[in-house]
Amino acid sequence: MSAAFDERLQALKQRFLARSAGDLQVIARALADPASVGRDDLRQVVHRLAGAAGTFGYAELSRIAGEADDALVLNQADVGAELTQLVEALKDALP
Amino acid sequence: MSGGLTVLYADDEPDIREVASIALELDGGINLTAVGSGQEAIEALERPGYRPDVIMLDVMMPGMDGPAALAEIRRRPMLADIPVVFITARAQAHEQARFLELGAVGVITKPFDPLALAGELRAIVTRAGA
């Protein structure tokens, strides 16, 4: 990997983390008051995390977001537990 | 295929779009046009003289999503034979099968390894015989 590539990837990773801080707020709000966040909006946030986190080196966060994404798609009863786990994983990942 | 490859890529997530873009640029032989939506992909394809070798579409995009963009492409006789690859987060097996039934030649799963992305795309295009 070239130094230039690495540098650009690091800059994008910082931007991803900044956006993820906002995602954390959205998911926490959805957990506290499910009616306050639209289902599609919530899935968009969770799906984005599932896709992006691993690319930026957060494999576990990506895995947990993927499971929450699946739970949302399948409308599983335990989606709250999956989202709670995702909130904790986000807190661990964020600086 | 190891020669030049013209790629149109649509993804609404700017972070992922940029990572993919710089990863594909690393390949050295890929001429990439990256856009932020399915609608923008259609608009790019309508530019006179522009015909990519492969179109890479994120599945989940606001407005015109990947499958809808693929349907639009297939409705245009001049574009209908361009291979389309979907890129998506954690598609389950049945979803991947559905994407192939829709006419995609392959599915790239996010998260992807930036250093392997170009090779993965080239392998799909080669398998598709494009």
Side-chain angles (χ1 to χ4, degrees):
Chain A
M1 189 186 302
S2 73
F5 177 82
D6 192 40
E7 200 173 301
R8 291 173 73 183
L9 196 59
Q10 285 304 316
L12 289 171
K13 181 176 172 178
Q14 292 310 311
R15 204 169 72 183
F16 162 77
L17 289 172
R19 283 161 55 93
S20 297
D23 293 343
L24 170 59
Q25 300 304 317
V26 171
I27 299 164
R29 200 166 66 241
L31 276 168
D33 179 8
S36 68
V37 180
R39 189 82 167 185
D40 288 348
D41 292 339
L42 180 60
R43 180 157 187 237
Q44 189 85 30
V45 165
V46 172
H47 189 79
R48 183 187 82 82
L49 281 167
T55 296
F56 292 110
Y58 298 95
E60 182 66 2
L61 175 59
S62 187
R63 184 189 66 77
I64 292 169
E67 288 178 359
D69 188 27
D70 289 346
L72 283 166
V73 171
L74 301 171
N75 209 15
Q76 290 174 346
D78 65 345
V79 67
E82 300 283 1
L83 291 174
T84 300
Q85 205 181 346
L86 179 55
V87 164
E88 293 308 313
L90 271 167
K91 286 178 180 171
D92 286 345
L94 292 172
Chain B
M1 181 187 291
S2 60
L5 193 69
T6 302
V7 179
L8 173 63
Y9 170 42
D11 197 316
D12 66 307
E13 291 298 337
D15 300 339
I16 289 299
R17 193 169 64 240
E18 287 193 41
V19 172
S21 296
I22 61 176
L24 294 175
E25 282 170 17
L26 268 184
D27 175 90
I30 290 179
N31 178 9
L32 178 72
T33 298
V35 297
S37 70
Q39 183 60 46
E40 287 178 26
I42 298 300
E43 288 166 9
L45 289 164
E46 288 174 341
R47 289 202 310 254
Y50 180 65
R51 183 184 164 86
D53 298 309
V54 60
I55 302 165
M56 195 162 72
L57 298 172
D58 182 29
V59 169
M60 194 170 167
M61 293 186 281
M64 187 187 292
D65 63 11
L70 171 58
E72 280 296 316
I73 291 163
R74 293 291 181 255
R75 269 198 283 273
R76 291 164 163 75
M78 297 293 286
L79 307 172
D81 61 336
I82 301 175
V84 169
V85 175
F86 279 137
I87 180 163
T88 186
R90 274 181 62 94
Q92 295 179 348
H94 72 276
E95 287 179 297
Q96 294 211 20
R98 184 174 70 84
F99 298 150
L100 297 177
E101 284 170 11
L102 289 173
V105 296
V107 180
I108 292 175
T109 305
K110 299 181 197 172
F112 54 79
D113 175 356
L115 297 177
L117 182 62
E120 196 173 351
L121 180 61
R122 282 185 179 281
I124 291 171
V125 172
T126 300
R127 277 202 307 273

